Amino acid sequence: MSTPKQLKVANKDAVRGLGIKLLIGLPISGLFWTIIFYFFVSNESWNFKILLFFSIFGIFLGGGSIINFAFGSSVYQLWHKLISLIDSIIVWLFLPFFYYLVFFPYSLALRLTGKSKFNQKKIKTSSYWREIDNSKNNKRYLQQF
Amino acid sequence: MILGISAYYHDSAAALVAEGSIIAAAQEERFTRIKHDYNFPVHAINYCLREANISLNDLDQIVFYEKPLLKFDRLLETYIGFAPKGLKSFVHAMPQWLKQKLHLPREIKKNLPDRWNKPIVFTSHHESHAASAFFPSPFEEAAILTMDGVGEWDTATVGVGERNRIQLLKSMHFPDSLGLLYSAFTYFCGFRVNSGEYKLMGLAPYGNPVFKDLILDTLIDLKEDGSFSLNLDYFNYCQGLTMTNDKFANLFGGPPRKSESVITDREINLASSIQAVTEEIVLRMARFTRDLSQKENLCISGGVALNCVANGKLLNEKIFKNIWIQPASGDAGGALGCALFTHYQLMENNRIPSPHDSMEGSFLGPKFENNEIRSFLDKNQIPNHFYSSEKELLKIICQFISKGKIIGWFQGRMEFGPRALGGRSIIGDARNSEMQTKMNLSIKFRESFRPFAPSILEEETSHFFDLDSPSPYMLLVAPIKNEIRRELTNEEKKAMKDSNLLARVKIDRSSIPAVTHVDYSARVQSVTEERNGRYYRLIREFRNSFKSPILVNTSFNVRGEPIVCTPQDAYRCFVSTDMDVLVLENFVLLKTEQPDESFKEKEKYISSFDLD
Amino acid sequence: MIKEKKDFQKLTEKSEQSGLILELFSMLKHNKKWWLTPIVLVLLLFGLLIILGGSTYAPFIYTLF
């Protein structure tokens, strides 16, 4: 039932857009790390090498992508591979974590208090048909429930 | 003007309704060539707008066929009921919900071909099904019964339709579902859920319902009024990625059949048993519907309504005077239903039922003119013969059919719904005893046990079938008349126990063997000139010249492929199979005249489709 | 007839689609399923994380921690 990952097709605009984001984004990340380092690792001197490193990286990848499309599309592909990697880590690591540690205890509690309809004792009944609530006004049709 | 959309589960589709008539409706799979495509139906929407020659801004409303948040609520509650089981399904489903399905208004607006500033209208899943069953029907008033796998919570509903309104009165809730029960057996017998149900139905007449009582005693608690509760100990669809579990397998003597492996007596008898149970449930539900509604007409829709064997039994029981079944009863039809619901019930427009029905024979898709076809043929230097006179064209085609040739028949608008009804069909002579095997194995590349349907002139129906009502959409199975049946010899009777189904299929049972199933039944399509136009005239010509008012009619595709949409699709399918002749409107193409290089892609084409 | 026809048309012309959060909570309220609230909230947060995790900005954000 899950959607297969759609292959991102690199077009000129998308590649250029990513180039600009890298050109601006990587130096900002560099600055951020520089600050982190200053306060948490060595609070004596600013280590601007980190900023420089990130910036060169950003200029190289971002600038390169803007100038050369072929280079840009490989950066684009790589970037999206990274994204799908992060995506799968979140999905396959965090979701199971969440399911067992948060969702399961909560549902257990609900089940014990009799809120879950799937675990209620079968009541002897002569019909499984349910009444449909027809007190709808037309506004209901703009709602998603 | 109202645009209806169904999407994101299976069989995406779009439909356009204007002034109460259905202008266009099509499934996305036909354009993208991906069977059961569930992506947002961009192509289908563009087609609908093109057909009406309008832009998005001319629309009054855009409607989606179900309530996404209610479905989300059902999913959450199901996981709550089963955690910590269900992790796999949770991890598969959640990302898509959180990213996309919870944001449908945004998602829809993003994918529309133009800006849309008004809110999107949402009807419920079974309201859409019910609307698609009642509003196009020929009835002023009628009872409505919808049955499918599951929508939001509902799995079956009973209601009434009067003039321009429908009202749903009773429903059954997930996980108790007739559609899912049938799909569970489809899965267990080694076929694909959501597409293999037909195969199970086709397999049923080969066997005996020996498991019927076991199913009724163990798996379900069936009430007199057709409502039932499933014993979830035996099913896995709430918490897992399969339909049934080990306990189910133990009950029926071993694990599920592996897909594409040999079909044994167990599967055949299981098919027969679940079919019998389904018929029992449908009949009980129908009686309940009649008692509740006090109407003499019935409209049905939802995936289960495509079970034409059950429909035939329902008709035969005469619980209702008249029955009308929506031809696009699957989720694709929801697009049409929600648009009609908005037009009639929400916008309160008048409804005047048309004496036959308002489905236009279900020919609601694209049509290709002769000049478009000519430019395609010329551009690709495809040898062809053009017949400007329809009379001559039909004469020559009938001659081919009488010689046992298999014809690709492409004309008029494409059908909406899963059946080909003479717009995108493969046809042949029903009297030819080789036809069923040949069509199954070298045209469609599918299982040999599957039956074919007859198209018959409506006025001739009663001479061949025990059927006293029209069946324009191939949704009723009827017994073949005794007069045309053939008694089996003792040797043939023995062969009917052969484990090889092909041996059983090959035995002639009537004067129309190609369309006679092993139990002397046929899935009839009755054809009229008003509804079917040229296709009717073709069969009439065949009757006048060759004394038979019946043709074999199967959909124009190979196994796993969506039905063809364009002349290109048709030509590609034609050169990749053993079809002899291709008719594209007034053009006739002969296989023997096609250049060698056109066959080069044959293998690649056939293997490009996933087996269904 | 014509007056009523305008009713739904008017309704859609003057209404806006409600946002997801509002819709979800109206649903819980309407169906009296308050006990689902905590889990819906947590899932929504997860949704945010997943949406960010799948966006172009994801690698930036993850260089930030």
Side-chain angles (χ1 to χ4, degrees):
Chain A
M1 258 182 256
S2 68
T3 341
K5 286 248 152 54
Q6 268 174 0
L7 208 70
K8 295 243 175 187
V9 187
N11 65 45
K12 270 214 152 91
D13 284 341
V15 167
R16 239 185 96 85
L18 180 67
I20 293 168
K21 280 172 198 161
L22 288 174
L23 198 60
I24 301 167
L26 278 173
I28 292 176
S29 298
L31 184 67
F32 185 82
W33 279 111
T34 313
I35 296 168
I36 298 263
F37 252 71
Y38 179 75
F39 284 108
F40 295 101
V41 185
S42 67
N43 38 15
E44 281 161 29
S45 62
W46 288 89
N47 188 347
F48 286 109
K49 274 186 191 149
I50 300 171
L51 177 59
L52 194 68
F53 178 74
F54 270 84
S55 303
I56 290 173
F57 215 55
I59 290 164
F60 175 64
L61 291 179
S65 298
I66 295 167
I67 296 163
N68 186 319
F69 178 69
F71 176 76
S73 13
S74 10
V75 171
Y76 185 88
Q77 301 292 345
L78 207 73
W79 193 255
H80 279 278
K81 273 199 186 125
L82 195 61
I83 290 170
S84 60
L85 184 74
I86 292 170
D87 196 46
S88 0
I89 290 173
I90 292 179
V91 169
W92 291 100
L93 204 74
F94 287 90
L95 271 184
F97 205 65
F98 165 78
Y99 197 67
Y100 287 126
L101 292 183
V102 182
F103 200 89
F104 171 49
Y106 189 75
S107 15
L108 207 61
L110 287 180
R111 262 136 63 178
L112 289 174
T113 52
K115 292 282 188 199
S116 167
K117 60 168 278 179
F118 287 88
N119 310 85
Q120 283 157 356
K121 271 237 164 76
K122 284 261 153 70
I123 313 150
K124 273 247 178 290
T125 168
S126 57
S127 173
Y128 294 104
W129 289 111
R130 297 153 176 267
E131 290 292 329
I132 294 181
D133 165 28
N134 272 308
S135 59
K136 291 169 185 165
N137 69 32
N138 282 350
K139 232 182 165 151
R140 282 291 304 273
Y141 290 99
L142 299 184
Q143 293 171 321
Q144 298 173 61
F145 60 89
Chain B
M1 274 181 288
I2 294 152
L3 178 71
I5 297 172
S6 77
Y8 300 118
Y9 182 55
H10 59 100
D11 269 328
S12 294
L16 187 73
V17 170
E19 307 295 326
S21 50
I22 306 162
I23 304 293
Q27 289 136 279
E28 183 72 357
E29 60 162 27
R30 306 288 167 86
F31 302 97
T32 59
R33 312 305 300 153
I34 302 166
K35 188 100 173 161
H36 302 303
D37 195 347
Y38 53 76
N39 288 301
F40 189 81
V42 188
H43 303 83
I45 290 173
N46 281 330
Y47 157 68
C48 285
L49 297 176
R50 211 163 53 232
E51 185 70 47
N53 204 8
I54 57 168
S55 74
L56 205 68
N57 299 317
D58 299 320
L59 294 173
D60 296 309
Q61 306 292 347
I62 296 178
V63 199
F64 191 72
Y65 82 125
E66 63 179 13
K67 301 270 197 184
L69 295 193
L70 219 47
K71 210 172 180 174
F72 185 65
D73 169 51
R74 192 245 301 163
L75 279 180
L76 272 191
E77 284 204 48
T78 310
Y79 291 124
I80 283 175
F82 290 90
K85 286 184 204 152
L87 172 72
K88 248 191 180 165
S89 149
F90 184 80
V91 172
H92 271 99
M94 261 324 123
Q96 215 188 347
W97 272 96
L98 295 172
K99 279 183 203 169
Q100 188 184 46
K101 293 184 181 179
L102 279 180
H103 314 274
L104 276 194
R106 185 190 74 190
E107 214 39 53
I108 292 170
K109 286 177 187 176
K110 192 175 83 189
N111 284 302
L112 285 171
D114 216 332
R115 266 185 78 83
W116 183 256
N117 293 321
K118 280 205 243 169
I120 307 285
V121 179
F122 291 89
T123 59
S124 84
H125 191 99
H126 278 261
E127 257 167 1
S128 302
H129 276 320
S132 79
F134 175 68
F135 292 128
S137 80
F139 310 133
E140 181 75 26
E141 48 185 69
I144 305 170
L145 175 61
T146 66
M147 300 161 288
D148 75 349
V150 59
E152 295 90 0
W153 277 100
D154 294 342
T155 59
T157 61
V158 174
V160 286
E162 281 166 357
R163 290 178 303 279
N164 65 347
R165 292 189 73 78
I166 58 170
Q167 190 176 22
L168 297 182
L169 303 168
K170 299 270 186 182
S171 77
M172 262 173 57
H173 267 195
F174 183 83
D176 302 322
S177 158
L178 181 52
L180 291 175
L181 176 68
Y182 205 87
S183 293
F185 279 85
T186 303
Y187 159 83
F188 192 74
C189 291
F191 303 115
R192 241 192 214 191
V193 173
N194 285 339
S195 66
E197 282 79 3
Y198 287 122
K199 300 184 190 176
L200 203 67
M201 188 176 74
L203 198 57
Y206 289 92
N208 299 305
V210 293
F211 299 113
K212 184 182 174 189
D213 292 334
L214 184 64
I215 295 171
L216 287 173
D217 293 340
T218 322
L219 296 184
I220 69 177
D221 175 21
L222 176 62
K223 300 298 184 193
E224 203 42 54
D225 61 10
S227 67
F228 61 89
S229 169
L230 291 177
N231 185 346
L232 292 181
D233 293 345
Y234 293 89
F235 297 92
N236 195 39
Y237 57 80
C238 289
Q239 68 271 42
L241 297 176
T242 60
M243 293 299 291
T244 61
N245 60 18
D246 291 346
K247 210 168 162 185
F248 189 99
N250 288 336
L251 190 64
F252 296 109
R257 167 181 166 258
K258 283 209 170 64
S259 154
E260 302 306 308
S261 68
V262 181
I263 296 169
T264 67
D265 278 343
R266 179 184 74 154
E267 282 82 49
I268 295 171
N269 289 334
L270 277 173
S272 185
S273 308
I274 190 59
Q275 182 62 34
V277 170
T278 302
E279 287 160 16
E280 180 69 41
I281 295 175
V282 169
L283 291 183
R284 287 189 193 191
M285 282 187 173
R287 286 192 199 99
F288 173 71
T289 306
R290 180 198 53 199
D291 295 345
L292 189 74
S293 67
Q294 298 294 324
K295 306 277 182 209
E296 53 184 25
N297 304 317
L298 174 69
C299 298
I300 33 184
S301 178
V304 179
L306 295 171
N307 192 312
C308 34
V309 182
N311 294 342
K313 296 265 160 74
L314 179 56
L315 186 73
N316 213 19
E317 286 288 313
K318 304 219 180 320
I319 299 168
F320 285 91
K321 208 166 150 195
N322 303 297
I323 296 178
W324 192 83
I325 310 157
Q326 164 57 242
S329 265
D331 280 359
L336 178 60
C338 66
L340 289 169
F341 183 86
T342 308
H343 176 80
Y344 289 114
Q345 188 136 343
L346 297 180
M347 318 250 305
E348 300 181 60
N349 286 300
N350 241 337
R351 170 174 172 266
I352 302 159
S354 126
H356 296 289
D357 65 44
S358 339
M359 279 300 286
E360 313 280 340
S362 212
F363 298 107
L364 299 167
K367 175 182 169 43
F368 294 85
E369 302 295 338
N370 276 319
N371 57 18
E372 289 172 89
I373 296 169
R374 185 190 299 280
S375 67
F376 160 70
L377 295 173
D378 289 350
K379 200 176 128 206
N380 294 285
Q381 298 179 327
I382 295 168
N384 63 76
H385 307 266
F386 180 72
Y387 295 87
S388 55
S389 128
E390 182 186 278
K391 216 170 162 201
E392 247 177 88
L393 172 81
L394 299 182
K395 262 209 154 65
I396 193 109
I397 298 306
C398 285
Q399 270 165 20
F400 282 125
I401 296 174
S402 74
K403 286 178 191 146
K405 303 283 186 213
I406 295 178
I407 320 288
W409 177 256
F410 180 108
Q411 55 98 30
R413 296 182 71 177
M414 182 178 71
E415 298 87 345
F416 181 55
R419 303 271 79 105
L421 300 167
R424 304 287 184 275
S425 291
I426 299 173
I427 54 178
D429 190 345
R431 297 168 300 180
N432 191 317
S433 37
E434 298 295 303
M435 199 53 79
Q436 182 177 13
T437 315
K438 193 175 164 196
M439 274 195 175
N440 265 333
L441 299 181
S442 56
I443 309 278
K444 307 272 284 192
F445 307 104
R446 65 181 202 185
E447 302 89 335
S448 59
F449 66 83
R450 295 176 66 180
F452 286 106
S455 291
I456 179 167
L457 300 179
E458 192 157 293
E459 61 270 26
E460 300 270 3
T461 314
S462 58
H463 301 140
F464 290 83
F465 306 102
D466 288 321
L467 180 68
D468 50 12
S469 88
S471 173
Y473 304 114
M474 237 184 234
L475 284 167
L476 292 170
V477 165
I480 285 178
K481 277 235 173 289
N482 276 328
E483 294 89 298
I484 62 164
R485 292 188 187 189
R486 200 188 132 253
E487 191 65 41
L488 300 193
T489 63
N490 282 338
E491 212 162 285
E492 284 170 333
K493 278 181 187 153
K494 219 186 270 166
M496 277 308 288
K497 298 202 172 73
D498 199 314
S499 61
N500 180 4
L501 296 181
L502 192 57
R504 303 194 207 176
V505 166
K506 281 193 167 155
I507 300 167
D508 286 359
R509 285 180 183 74
S510 73
S511 58
I512 42 171
V515 293
T516 308
H517 205 11
V518 288
D519 61 347
Y520 294 99
S521 70
R523 178 158 48 89
V524 181
Q525 180 199 5
S526 56
V527 177
T528 61
E529 180 153 28
E530 187 196 12
R531 221 183 262 119
N532 304 84
R534 183 178 280 187
Y535 188 50
Y536 173 87
R537 294 190 288 277
L538 173 77
I539 306 177
R540 188 177 60 193
E541 171 63 35
F542 193 66
R543 177 194 62 189
N544 294 345
S545 305
F546 298 100
K547 307 277 173 290
S548 169
I550 305 183
L551 295 178
V552 184
N553 174 9
T554 186
S555 52
F556 199 144
N557 59 350
V558 296
R559 187 178 170 190
E561 183 192 15
I563 296 176
V564 299
C565 175
T566 64
Q568 288 90 319
D569 299 336
Y571 184 73
R572 216 175 322 139
C573 186
F574 169 63
V575 291
S576 304
T577 62
D578 284 355
M579 246 178 274
D580 302 297
V581 180
L582 172 62
V583 184
L584 299 168
E585 293 293 345
N586 288 36
F587 293 88
V588 176
L589 284 64
L590 304 179
K591 181 59 80 48
T592 49
E593 292 176 356
Q594 298 311 307
D596 287 341
E597 70 258 30
S598 59
F599 305 114
K600 272 198 308 212
E601 304 275 293
K602 194 172 165 170
E603 307 292 321
K604 208 173 117 195
Y605 170 76
I606 291 163
S607 59
S608 70
F609 301 105
D610 282 342
L611 291 183
D612 59 350
Chain C
M1 226 48 208
I2 286 170
K3 186 202 142 277
E4 284 171 315
K5 179 157 68 181
K6 279 183 183 153
D7 279 353
F8 189 72
Q9 188 77 358
K10 241 192 231 156
L11 181 71
T12 55
E13 267 154 24
K14 67 171 197 246
S15 309
E16 300 251 332
Q17 201 113 46
S18 317
L20 173 65
I21 314 260
L22 184 67
E23 285 272 274
L24 272 172
F25 286 100
S26 324
M27 174 173 81
L28 296 180
K29 186 178 155 198
H30 183 266
N31 296 334
K32 298 186 191 66
K33 287 184 180 170
W34 286 113
W35 42 275
L36 273 175
T37 317
I39 218 76
V40 167
L41 275 178
V42 180
L43 266 175
L44 282 179
L45 284 178
F46 241 99
L48 204 66
L49 186 67
I50 284 183
I51 287 170
L52 287 176
S55 77
T56 328
Y57 297 100
F60 286 134
I61 296 163
Y62 290 92
T63 62
L64 298 183
F65 59 80

